[in-house]
Each structure stands twice: as structure tokens, then as C-alpha cells.
Amino acid sequence: MPRGDKSAYTDKQKRQAAHIEASERKEGRSQEDAERIAWATVNKQDGGDKQSGSGRKDTKH
């Protein structure tokens, strides 16, 4: 997946990023910074793109 490609993200993650980005823009951040912060937050919450079933890694150990 090339850098910046958001196709692996779920619709829910895309909605979350859009909401965070809008909030950051409202706080006065630039479009670029707001988008960067939004996707960094989604990645921090979910560990990046969603994987289903046995492909998921246990990150707690």
C-alpha cells in the first residue's frame, strides 16, 4: 500500500478521521496539520488498518 493510500481503512475509521480533522480545523490548524493529526489519532487508537480474524496481532504482549 503506497504512502497516503487510505483504502485499507474501514468506513468507521474514515468517518472518525473526518470528524477529528474537522475539529482540528475548527481549532485553527491548517488543513495539512489537521489531516495529519486526524490519521495519527486513528492509527494510535486502532493500530492502523483493520485486519480481520486470525490476521490480527495481539499487541498486548
Side-chain angles (χ1 to χ4, degrees), residues 1-9 14 35 39 43:
M1 179 169 60
R3 235 179 207 207
D5 182 12
K6 307 294 188 226
S7 63
Y9 289 92
K14 291 175 185 176
E35 184 177 2
W39 285 108
N43 284 333

Side-chain angles (χ1 to χ4, degrees), residues 14-26:
K14 291 175 185 176
R15 286 191 310 271
Q16 286 175 328
H19 179 75
I20 294 166
E21 185 176 337
S23 296
E24 293 296 326
R25 291 287 292 152
K26 196 174 184 181

Side-chain angles (χ1 to χ4, degrees), residues 24-59:
E24 293 296 326
R25 291 287 292 152
K26 196 174 184 181
E27 292 292 320
R29 305 258 196 294
S30 70
Q31 177 69 34
E32 187 177 295
D33 284 347
E35 184 177 2
R36 179 184 52 78
I37 291 167
W39 285 108
T41 303
V42 169
N43 284 333
K44 185 175 182 181
Q45 290 172 344
D46 295 328
D49 64 336
K50 286 290 187 182
Q51 296 177 345
S52 62
S54 63
R56 293 204 64 152
K57 294 178 182 174
D58 184 10
T59 58

